[in-house]
């Protein structure tokens, strides 16, 4: 059977680093509050010349270089983002153009913070169905552009950045020993749409709008939903938490990450945490964390890696990959 194997990984971050303490000048908050409640110490913020397309392109180029590939080798681009450069065309098509590609196809996928997990599962389906042989799967965001910088309960949480994987078709045996995407579980439930949303859009206000969140409500549902999809992927693959080499969760809040790992029986030393460095970069958070853990030598060929995310909608999902 065809398996979608990770060939390469890359990432890109805006030049400017914003420390927690910088909020103290304009908001009633502190480095201590932010670090204690979320684990975040800093985030990167895009400058005027940095956009979702430019960061996505840079992450894509880094992944291509990592794999010894050029844009000619790619026939699909899936970009997970909630902060596209324009309402349309898809920012994925702009990235395709920036890469000098006039072949293949590219589209955006919108599942907020779960976007990258959805995008990996979607690219995997296209590869297994024979629609593509080699896909760039990108998560890129500029959430700084949709934050209300006067709302301390949200603006301290998010950051900008991009990460990318190259997935390519390989033959597999059909067992859990195969390299590649082994299982995926995706969910959504619009009952919760008003707990985390942007209060604008093309068809309602005609404006871009700002992010609004009932943080406590999101927190309350997060751990149970995350556990639910992870148990789904474990059942599909016939494995348990003990079989995992690495757990790479969506980086929203250290407390949610710790509580989820504990509920699932995943040992602390298997959890990749980068929320301290990047804040919550929505669809970019999982590939940014993957890139850090691959670069520093933690994630290696043959490792069993679990990706997970939960976000606005609500949407949530998990993907199991043998690296
Ligand atoms: N600095 C200081 N105080 C603050 C700040 C701040 N930046 N923000 C809120 N507070 C205050 C609140 O006003 C409240 O004060 P009050 O008690 O006087 O009313 C107090 O701190 C406690 O607020 P809570 O909201 O109860 O704080 P909590 O411990 O729940 O932490 C947080 C808030 C960090 C937002 C948490 O709820 C959380 O992480 N929620 C989940 C967010 C998340 O995971 N999102 C993921 C998806 S993101 C996506 O899809 C785009």
């Amino acid at each position: 059977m065809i398996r979608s194997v990770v060939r390469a990984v890359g990432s890109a971050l805006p030049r400017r680093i914003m420390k927690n303490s910088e909020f103290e000048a304009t908001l009633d908050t502190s480095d201590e509050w932010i670090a204690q409640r979320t684990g975040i110490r800093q985030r990167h913020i895009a400058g005027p010349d940095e956009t979702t397309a430019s960061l996505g392109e840079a992450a894509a180029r880094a992944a291509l270089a990592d794999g010894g590939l050029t844009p000619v080798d790619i026939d699909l681009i899936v970009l997970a983002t909630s902060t596209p450069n324009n309402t349309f065309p898809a920012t994925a098509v702009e990235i395709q153009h920036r890469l000098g590609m006039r072949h293949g196809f590219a589209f955006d996928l919108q599942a907020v913070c779960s976007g990258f997990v959805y995008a990996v599962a979607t690219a995997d389906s296209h590869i297994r169905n024979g629609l593509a042989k080699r896909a760039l799967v990108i998560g890129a965001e500029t959430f700084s552009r949709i934050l209300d910088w006067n709302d301390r309960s949200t603006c301290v949480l998010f950051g900008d950045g991009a990460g990318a994987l190259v997935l390519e078709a390989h033959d597999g045996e059909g067992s859990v020993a195969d390299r590649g995407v082994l299982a995926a579980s995706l969910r959504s439930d619009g009952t919760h749409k008003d707990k985390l949303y942007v209060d604008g859009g093309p068809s309602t206000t005609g404006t871009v709008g700002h992010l609004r969140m009932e943080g406590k409500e999101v927190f309350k549902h997060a751990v149970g939903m995350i556990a639910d999809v992870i148990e789904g992927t474990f059942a599909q693959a016939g494995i348990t938490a003990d079989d995992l080499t690495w757990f790479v969760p969506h980086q929203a809040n250290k407390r949610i990450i710790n509580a989820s790992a504990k509920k699932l029986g995943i040992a602390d030393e298997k959890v990749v945490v980068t929320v301290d460095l990047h804040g919550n970069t929505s669809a970019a958070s999982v590939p940014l964390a993957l890139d850090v853990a691959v670069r520093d030598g933690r994630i290696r060929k043959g490792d069993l890696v679990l990706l997970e995310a939960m976000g606005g909608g609500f949407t949530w999902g998990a993907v199991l990959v043998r690296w």
Side-chain angles (χ1 to χ4, degrees), residues 4-11 59-70 74 116 120 134-138 163-168 170 179 287 290-291 294-295 321 323:
S4 310
V5 172
V6 177
R7 162 93 177 238
V9 55
S11 72
R61 287 192 185 280
L64 290 172
D66 181 52
L69 298 165
T70 70
I74 301 297
F116 189 77
V120 170
R134 211 178 275 114
L136 260 170
V137 187
I138 309 169
L165 292 184
V166 177
L167 289 182
E168 69 182 9
H170 282 241
R179 289 186 68 214
L290 280 172
D291 193 44
V294 169
R295 295 288 143 244
V321 185
W323 212 257

Side-chain angles (χ1 to χ4, degrees), residues 28-29 33-34 37-38 112-113 143 152-153 156-158 196 211 213 215-216 218-219 250 252-253 255-256 280 282 310-312:
D28 181 14
T29 189
W33 191 96
I34 300 167
R37 299 289 181 118
T38 70
V112 202
C113 296
F143 261 52
R152 68 176 183 173
S153 71
V156 303
L157 303 174
F158 295 90
L196 176 51
L211 182 147
M213 177 168 74
K216 250 195 192 340
V218 178
F219 206 130
H250 172 47
N253 185 315
R255 286 153 60 210
I256 297 178
N280 180 351
S282 193
M310 183 263 181

